[in-house]
Amino acid sequence: MTRYNDEYYRDILDGLSAYYHSPLIHDILTTINKVPAPGLGNAWNFNQITGKRWLVETLATYLPHDVRKIILLGGWYGVLATLLLDHPAYANIKLSSLDIDPSCEDIARSVNRHWVEQNRFEALTSDMHDFDYSRWMGSEPGVIINTSCEHIENFSDWFDSLPVGPLLVLQSNDYFSCDEHINCVNTLEEFKAQAPLRELEFSDGLKLKKYTRFMLIGRK
């Protein structure tokens, strides 16, 4: 069986970037060459991208017209930010990607270099439990996204700390076999009970390989 080295796949990405004139592919390639983080592959795997694309397409339907900023909690390597900023529905949006792991910052900036240069993306290091959401919101409406609810310890404390008013987009799953998943839910109804939204605009589950991803969109 033929085995291919990393240069083989980099050449393919480089060619695709040139063909599609895609800053997205170019920035991914640059990041791979500069920061060979093993987790970057996981961030772009089938399940991750399918769940995030579902969010991007669904939120486009519910996005308030006056929203100009979104914050992504547990933003990891900034992949969801990339997908959002690459979608025409979010053409006027500025994104902040927040993660507790400081090593994510440089990688997220590299993956979104094109958007950093346009002043539409920033990566922040902070614990979502300690973040000042009201100060981030200011007087402008915004959207708070958390696709990592299954990772959150003391979930109710975090949920209670969120301001009333902004649109919330929350995702969790039933993938209990992952050691890092300390707050999974068994069903969509269990997730809705865990994150009680006063105005629930969307709720559904997406069946993926090995698990189901649940999503809620609404307001406290």
Side-chain angles (χ1 to χ4, degrees):
M1 182 177 66
T2 303
R3 295 184 181 275
Y4 301 101
N5 59 27
D6 289 346
E7 192 62 32
Y8 172 85
Y9 296 105
R10 286 175 178 141
D11 283 345
I12 291 175
L13 285 173
D14 203 17
L16 288 172
S17 175
Y19 181 76
Y20 289 108
H21 303 286
S22 171
L24 186 157
I25 297 175
H26 179 269
D27 289 345
I28 294 170
L29 179 61
T30 301
T31 305
I32 291 171
N33 288 329
K34 184 173 65 175
V35 189
L40 192 58
N42 291 332
W44 284 94
N45 70 30
F46 176 85
N47 280 354
Q48 290 287 343
I49 296 304
T50 302
K52 287 176 171 56
R53 184 173 181 182
W54 178 43
L55 185 155
V56 171
E57 298 291 344
T58 305
L59 176 57
T61 302
Y62 298 93
L63 189 71
H65 296 298
D66 58 347
V67 164
R68 293 294 178 266
K69 57 184 179 180
I70 294 175
I71 188 164
L72 312 175
L73 308 180
W76 201 9
Y77 294 146
V79 173
L80 177 55
T82 300
L83 301 183
L84 287 162
L85 290 168
D86 200 52
H87 192 287
Y90 306 90
N92 298 315
I93 301 292
K94 180 176 179 179
L95 280 148
S96 303
S97 182
L98 181 147
D99 202 281
I100 194 171
D101 183 353
S103 70
C104 293
E105 234 184 79
D106 286 343
I107 298 174
R109 287 196 190 103
S110 182
V111 168
N112 290 281
R113 182 189 59 82
H114 175 73
W115 305 113
V116 171
E117 292 174 352
Q118 295 190 23
N119 196 33
R120 293 188 57 205
F121 176 82
E122 64 175 354
L124 308 171
T125 299
S126 180
D127 186 332
M128 68 175 72
H129 284 279
D130 301 328
F131 190 75
D132 189 339
Y133 298 96
S134 296
R135 183 176 180 181
W136 171 79
M137 286 276 300
S139 59
E140 298 178 344
V143 176
I144 299 172
I145 298 177
N146 188 343
T147 64
S148 305
C149 293
E150 68 276 8
H151 290 266
I152 300 179
E153 189 175 8
N154 300 322
F155 180 88
S156 60
D157 290 344
W158 169 76
F159 186 78
D160 290 345
S161 74
L162 297 174
V164 175
L167 191 68
L168 304 178
V169 184
L170 308 175
Q171 285 190 350
S172 188
N173 61 51
D174 59 359
Y175 192 25
F176 288 88
S177 59
C178 177
D179 292 339
E180 296 177 355
H181 291 181
I182 58 174
N183 187 49
C184 286
V185 291
N186 289 284
T187 64
L188 180 62
E189 291 305 313
E190 186 178 333
F191 190 30
K192 289 161 69 173
Q194 186 183 80
L197 296 175
R198 175 175 49 86
E199 298 177 13
L200 182 61
E201 300 188 29
F202 175 89
S203 66
D204 205 351
L206 179 67
K207 183 65 179 176
L208 300 168
K209 296 176 183 177
K210 298 184 179 180
Y211 62 87
T212 298
R213 181 164 287 279
F214 306 110
M215 182 160 66
L216 307 176
I217 299 177
R219 303 174 192 274
K220 285 180 62 178

